[in-house]
Amino acid sequence: MTTALKESKSTQKRKGRPKIPDYLVYEILGNRKIYYRDYQKVLSGELPPEAVMGSSDLQAWIVALIVRFLAKTLDYKKYLLLTNEVGYFYTPQRKGKWLNLDIAIVSREKFKKPSGTYLTIPPEVVIEVDTKADLSKLGDRYFIEKTEKLLKSGIKKVVWVFTEQKKLQIAEEGKPWLIVDFDYEFEIVDGIKFNLKELLEKENS
């Protein structure tokens, strides 16, 4: 009788919880739904959905700078440059598990033509600038887990730009991951050297 009563109360509690709409799901990381940051404010009516889905001006500005740099330096016969939160199915099963990519450098040899769905082939390089994800439960583990999923899927290099800390995380499969300052120069792909600090200084000069 007591057990039945407890189960009944538990069921009532679950039924009372508001269902989070699918449009507030930012990514599926493993078996976990990752929601947009501040999604609770959308549920409570404090913010419209667009307010949590949009990029900050700083995030958008840095993404634009990097894209412009790559557009000038990449060999477009060999690579395709994709941006604007590219959806990427990172498992062979494809459906149901995806991650968003700020900037993706994709081999033209592998990318035959657009499919009209999320990307299914692993890019050569991915560059992420901050995140729109809610990190209240995962914290910094989110960046590690997402990076690991991307590398395991076949992506050769994953670069994170953390604007608040002014740090970069550079991860390659089979190599030690690096946490470095913005002035650290490194190769993005095919001998293309990248220095974020210099790029930002040129823009501000």
Side-chain angles (χ1 to χ4, degrees), residues 72-194:
K72 293 177 181 178
T73 55
L74 274 180
D75 180 355
Y76 266 74
K77 291 182 179 179
K78 190 173 180 180
Y79 298 109
L80 186 67
L81 183 61
L82 302 179
T83 184
N84 194 28
E85 293 284 0
V86 183
Y88 171 52
F89 288 127
Y90 60 92
T91 65
Q93 295 78 19
R94 297 184 181 182
K95 292 183 179 179
K97 293 186 180 182
W98 81 92
L99 294 169
N100 288 317
L101 312 177
D102 286 334
I103 302 170
I105 300 173
V106 183
S107 166
R108 282 191 180 273
E109 186 179 351
K110 297 176 184 176
F111 187 90
K112 303 304 180 183
K113 62 179 181 179
S115 64
T117 182
Y118 286 170
L119 192 66
T120 57
I121 60 167
E124 303 301 297
V125 180
V126 163
I127 303 174
E128 295 283 280
V129 181
D130 295 332
T131 184
K132 299 186 187 79
D134 171 57
L135 303 183
S136 59
K137 294 181 180 178
L138 270 178
D140 289 343
R141 280 195 301 125
Y142 165 82
F143 302 106
I144 295 173
E145 290 187 21
K146 179 170 180 176
T147 302
E148 288 176 339
K149 294 290 185 189
L150 293 176
L151 291 175
K152 188 176 180 181
S153 76
I155 294 171
K156 296 175 182 175
K157 185 178 295 182
V158 178
V159 179
W160 281 92
V161 179
F162 301 119
T163 58
E164 184 178 351
Q165 296 83 4
K166 295 185 178 180
K167 297 287 184 180
L168 304 174
Q169 175 185 281
I170 305 168
E172 295 181 72
E173 187 65 41
K175 295 184 180 181
W177 295 10
L178 302 176
I179 300 291
V180 294
D181 295 326
F182 275 10
D183 62 356
Y184 181 81
E185 185 173 273
F186 66 98
E187 180 182 351
I188 289 185
V189 69
D190 287 359
I192 296 174
K193 299 294 184 179
F194 180 75

Side-chain angles (χ1 to χ4, degrees), residues 9-45:
K9 286 182 179 179
S10 177
T11 302
Q12 289 175 2
K13 187 176 181 181
R14 284 199 301 270
K15 287 182 179 178
R17 291 175 183 169
K19 184 180 183 300
I20 302 174
D22 288 342
Y23 64 79
L24 290 176
V25 178
Y26 178 62
E27 295 172 317
I28 303 291
L29 184 58
N31 296 317
R32 187 188 297 112
K33 289 183 178 179
I34 305 295
Y35 298 101
Y36 281 94
R37 183 176 55 246
D38 290 333
Y39 74 94
Q40 301 97 329
K41 293 183 179 180
V42 176
L43 296 177
S44 67

